[in-house]
Amino acid sequence: MNTPLPQRLWQRFTRTRVGRSIFRVGLPQSKLERSQAMVSSFLLHVQPAKVNRHSLRAGYTLGLGLITLYLFLILIGTGVLLMFYYVPSTQQAYDGMKDLQFVVSAGLLIRNMHRWAAHLMVLFVMLHLGRVFYTGAYKQPREFNWLVGVGLFLLTLALSFTGYLLPWDQLAFWAITVGTSIAGYAPVVGQKLRFLMLGGHTVGQEALIRFYALHVIVLPALAVLMIGVHFWRVRKDGGLSRPDEPGDVVGQVELGQVPTNKTYGLMELAQGTTPQVGKNPEDEVFAWPHLVFRELLLFLLVVAVLLFLAIFWNAPLEEFANPIHPPNPAKAPWYFLGLQELVSYSAFWGGVVVPGLLVTALAALPYLDRGCRGVGRWFARERIVANTVFTICVLAAIVFTLIGSFFRGPNWGWVEPWQKPPVVTEGH
Amino acid sequence: MNHPTPDNDVSRRSFFQLALGWLAGAFATAASAVAAVRFLVPNVLYEPSQRFKAGKPEDYPDGSVTFLEDERVFLIRKGNTFRCLSAVCTHLGCTVNRANKGYHCPCHGSVFNDEGKVEGGPAPRGLPWFLVTLSKDNRLLVDKGETVVADKYLVV
Ligand code: HEM
Ligand code: FES
């Protein structure tokens, strides 16, 4: 009797009628049961019963996509809790935030977690995008999943931006005033688009309720849907990318052809040899426990770090929104500060042309860069041109963001962060 | 029921059926899309009126530049002339501050001179001037919906 008590209890439970009806497989012991555990559970069946060793290497994915997912799930959980106190009205929104901070039990913690998770999700979606780029993982047959990813990236930014207005404090009001004005510079439809976003000419009650509806239902629902498609495609594209996927027919599917794997074969959708031919079984390990436990561990790590942040640092809440006095300087959220810096040179070029081109380039990337070499490894030699171009863009984005964050003071004038901020006197 | 016909031999009837089906589908989709967008465009705005009364001319001392907070404009008196300048930066809509000379925007550093012209920064246009008139009961009347050239004054 050297099995630990919780395990024994669990086993006993899953052998009862009720337990069996729910879980079907107890704690998997045999190889068969390990497969069954994955296939018969709703949550686990999203994943294959066996995974490639390469996909489990922490140094390959760095777990970045998973971390993004976990942050998203935490955001849904904490966000739903916040909804119980938040009222999307310009009169009440700010009071709701104050209540959450000062009178609601654990309100402060929940709000902090939501805020920090939101910032982190933006950060990690960018890091994940970078990982996929530097490992060449967007190449055939994963072009479309990269496209889905670009959609998710934009959705993440939109989620964060719409959430930014909700506290109805100074930060919120002016970041949204500035942000939506940038949209107004888009050619032809700009002003109409801004009007539609705000439901009026200025940031007011109509804008607040619109942003609220987008933030709590429209965008999260879209994101859940697209994350579903994203994961489905990861599997249908043959699991994660890896160096020269051996004998993997899925990797060489012609356009418009259904991959000839076993399921499709059984459904008479496709004929021919199955991709398992030539695949080395030594490379595959059982998802239970190898994958599942790693995922659980990473989840606990994310929760722990987030709790740590939320306990020791409070989410900012400035004064009640005042449409008359912008804070000086008025800054957008950090991930838009690079853009704001560009916008300070020219609203049209910096606010419309540059981001427009960047997003178009990101979306078109897998269809332009079609070479198949250097996939599944970080910084592959064969991809030196693509990697260099990408790195230059990333560095430029970082530099502009840093300038916007730390080197811009009152009136957007140049300041050096290590010097005392200049005192501005202003009067009306 | 449709009888399956080879692709290159579509009967006239099934062609019309197909065309009708697709047209109806396309029409329904387009109509729903238009209705949805139209639904989102508000028909009534509960925004403050663009026209407002700004008090008596005597309230403003000679040579003064007065910031009217709620309306986000500057009321400027020189001698017995009155003008009204927008305080909303033409760049991205922040409220500009009155400086010793001209106006500064705190958001991205646009600078406007006393005439509202751009002197520096990213603002694409100068600050607009608004029409000032005198109402029957001797009050200054500003219409923010009506822009005028810089050297149009109300003389009292
Ligand atoms: C809400 C945002 C996102 C979530 C939750 C998410 C989640 C994931 C997860 C869990 C994986 C499995 C591998 C890993 O952990 O790295 C993955 C793979 C992948 N993601 Fe994302 N992702 C998101 C956004 C993006 C973005 C912005 C891109 C790129 C533009 C992208 C492109 C890809 C591609 C191409 C793969 C397959 C990689 C491979 O086969 O090696 N995803 N994603
Ligand atoms: S809003 Fe005035 S300079 Fe940008």
Side-chain angles (χ1 to χ4, degrees):
Chain A
M1 269 290 140
N2 43 13
T3 22
L5 182 65
Q7 202 165 328
R8 260 185 292 145
L9 285 177
W10 177 255
Q11 261 160 353
R12 184 163 301 172
F13 171 64
T14 50
R15 271 192 217 115
T16 63
R17 251 191 109 88
V18 176
R20 214 168 184 97
S21 75
I22 301 173
F23 291 101
R24 299 199 187 273
V25 195
L27 265 193
Q29 306 293 328
S30 64
K31 287 182 173 177
L32 177 65
E33 281 176 354
R34 286 175 175 189
S35 292
Q36 282 174 339
M38 296 300 292
V39 177
S40 66
S41 147
F42 173 73
L43 283 178
L44 295 181
H45 92 280
V46 175
Q47 294 164 329
K50 287 189 106 181
V51 288
N52 195 284
R53 273 181 205 285
H54 183 265
S55 308
L56 288 180
R57 292 228 308 260
Y60 183 63
T61 62
L62 303 179
L64 295 171
L66 265 187
I67 296 177
T68 313
L69 171 74
Y70 293 152
L71 289 167
F72 181 66
L73 295 180
I74 294 172
L75 280 165
I76 292 184
T78 52
V80 168
L81 288 175
L82 292 178
M83 283 177 73
F84 282 85
Y85 283 94
Y86 180 81
V87 185
S89 130
T90 55
Q91 303 300 314
Q92 287 168 275
Y94 188 75
D95 293 342
M97 302 317 290
K98 286 276 182 209
D99 276 357
L100 280 164
Q101 285 206 307
F102 296 111
V103 298
V104 179
S105 304
L108 182 62
L109 183 75
I110 302 282
R111 171 162 189 254
N112 289 350
M113 283 181 74
H114 194 74
R115 176 62 72 101
W116 299 142
H119 281 310
L120 284 177
M121 183 173 166
V122 174
L123 179 68
F124 275 90
V125 81
M126 291 175 177
L127 293 176
H128 173 59
L129 189 152
R131 178 309 261 178
V132 172
F133 189 94
Y134 281 121
T135 54
Y138 56 84
K139 305 230 159 190
Q140 209 204 25
R142 299 183 177 82
E143 301 102 321
F144 180 68
N145 216 12
W146 167 271
L147 212 58
V148 175
V150 173
L152 280 170
F153 173 54
L154 298 180
L155 259 182
T156 307
L157 291 183
L159 267 167
S160 178
F161 186 66
T162 47
Y164 218 74
L165 180 64
L166 302 187
W168 205 252
D169 63 346
Q170 277 286 73
L171 198 66
F173 184 89
W174 289 101
I176 302 307
T177 298
V178 167
T180 51
S181 300
I182 294 179
Y185 274 87
V188 191
V189 292
Q191 283 305 321
K192 289 218 172 67
L193 195 69
R194 179 180 141 88
F195 183 77
L196 198 64
M197 272 206 274
L198 296 183
H201 294 100
T202 51
V203 179
Q205 178 59 57
E206 284 76 13
L208 182 58
I209 196 84
R210 273 169 197 233
F211 275 53
Y212 178 73
L214 288 173
H215 186 75
V216 303
I217 181 69
V218 180
L219 298 175
L222 268 178
V224 167
L225 201 75
M226 287 185 61
I227 290 175
V229 175
H230 197 57
F231 290 177
W232 158 269
R233 282 305 289 239
V234 168
R235 273 194 76 180
K236 292 294 158 183
D237 292 341
L240 291 192
S241 55
R242 50 191 176 277
D244 43 59
E245 304 162 39
D248 197 341
V249 183
V250 177
Q252 301 149 19
V253 194
E254 290 292 315
L255 275 182
Q257 204 180 314
V258 182
T260 56
N261 69 27
K262 206 156 140 217
T263 328
Y264 291 118
L266 286 176
M267 291 190 290
E268 305 254 334
L269 283 173
Q271 287 158 353
T273 50
T274 61
Q276 273 70 22
V277 174
K279 214 181 209 174
N280 187 354
E282 295 298 297
D283 288 340
E284 305 269 314
V285 292
F286 278 100
W288 183 294
H290 298 281
L291 177 62
V292 175
F293 278 26
R294 270 164 235 233
E295 287 175 342
L296 193 65
L297 210 65
L298 191 62
F299 180 68
L300 291 181
L301 192 73
V302 170
V303 173
V305 170
L306 199 63
L307 270 176
F308 177 79
L309 290 176
I311 287 170
F312 289 102
W313 284 277
N314 284 338
L317 184 65
E318 294 191 355
E319 277 133 58
F320 187 72
N322 180 347
I324 295 146
H325 289 288
N328 190 354
K331 290 195 177 184
W334 64 269
Y335 41 86
F336 285 146
L337 278 182
L339 269 190
Q340 193 176 355
E341 174 65 16
L342 288 182
V343 161
S344 79
Y345 310 138
S346 154
F348 179 65
W349 290 98
V352 179
V353 178
V354 172
L357 282 180
L358 281 181
V359 170
T360 314
L362 271 185
L365 170 77
Y367 302 100
L368 298 178
D369 175 24
R370 279 181 296 194
C372 281
R373 321 226 1 230
V375 173
R377 275 173 294 136
W378 279 85
F379 311 117
R381 264 283 175 74
E382 297 88 327
R383 293 176 30 78
I384 186 126
V385 179
N387 284 342
T388 313
V389 174
F390 185 75
T391 308
I392 290 172
C393 293
V394 170
L395 284 181
I398 293 178
V399 167
F400 282 120
T401 305
L402 286 179
I403 293 179
S405 309
F406 299 112
F407 292 84
R408 292 300 183 179
N411 297 332
W412 210 249
W414 184 265
V415 290
E416 272 148 26
W418 42 89
Q419 278 165 359
K420 252 194 165 160
V423 183
V424 275
T425 47
E426 55 190 59
H428 271 299
Chain B
M1 271 304 288
N2 249 330
H3 297 289
T5 41
D7 282 351
N8 52 359
D9 185 20
V10 184
S11 76
R12 182 171 305 167
R13 171 187 283 188
S14 59
F15 171 78
F16 279 120
Q17 281 174 345
L18 260 180
L20 201 69
W22 278 102
L23 266 176
F27 181 77
T29 314
S32 323
V34 168
V37 171
R38 195 56 197 80
F39 172 82
L40 290 173
V41 178
N43 290 330
V44 179
L45 293 179
Y46 298 91
E47 290 173 353
S49 160
Q50 296 284 79
R51 300 179 67 190
F52 65 97
K53 282 187 181 170
K56 291 188 230 126
E58 305 89 86
D59 296 347
Y60 301 89
D62 187 9
S64 66
V65 176
T66 313
F67 179 58
L68 304 180
E69 281 203 340
D70 295 339
E71 304 291 346
R72 297 174 83 194
V73 295
F74 293 101
L75 222 123
I76 300 162
R77 172 172 183 177
K78 218 177 247 158
N80 54 359
T81 66
F82 290 85
R83 288 195 292 170
C84 182
L85 180 68
S86 165
V88 180
C89 181
T90 55
H91 181 227
L92 296 176
C94 286
T95 314
V96 300
N97 294 314
R98 172 90 183 126
N100 290 336
K101 250 188 173 223
Y103 305 86
H104 288 282
C105 182
C107 290
H108 315 94
S110 286
V111 180
F112 304 88
N113 67 14
D114 282 335
E115 292 305 302
K117 294 236 163 62
V118 183
E119 297 243 295
R125 277 166 282 113
L127 299 170
W129 294 90
F130 297 131
L131 181 69
V132 189
T133 50
L134 205 62
S135 67
K136 288 206 188 79
D137 55 349
N138 191 38
R139 299 290 195 282
L140 294 168
L141 200 60
V142 179
D143 187 348
K144 290 195 286 184
E146 197 74 31
T147 56
V148 295
V149 289
D151 44 12
K152 183 166 165 111
Y153 299 87
L154 168 75
V155 185
V156 176

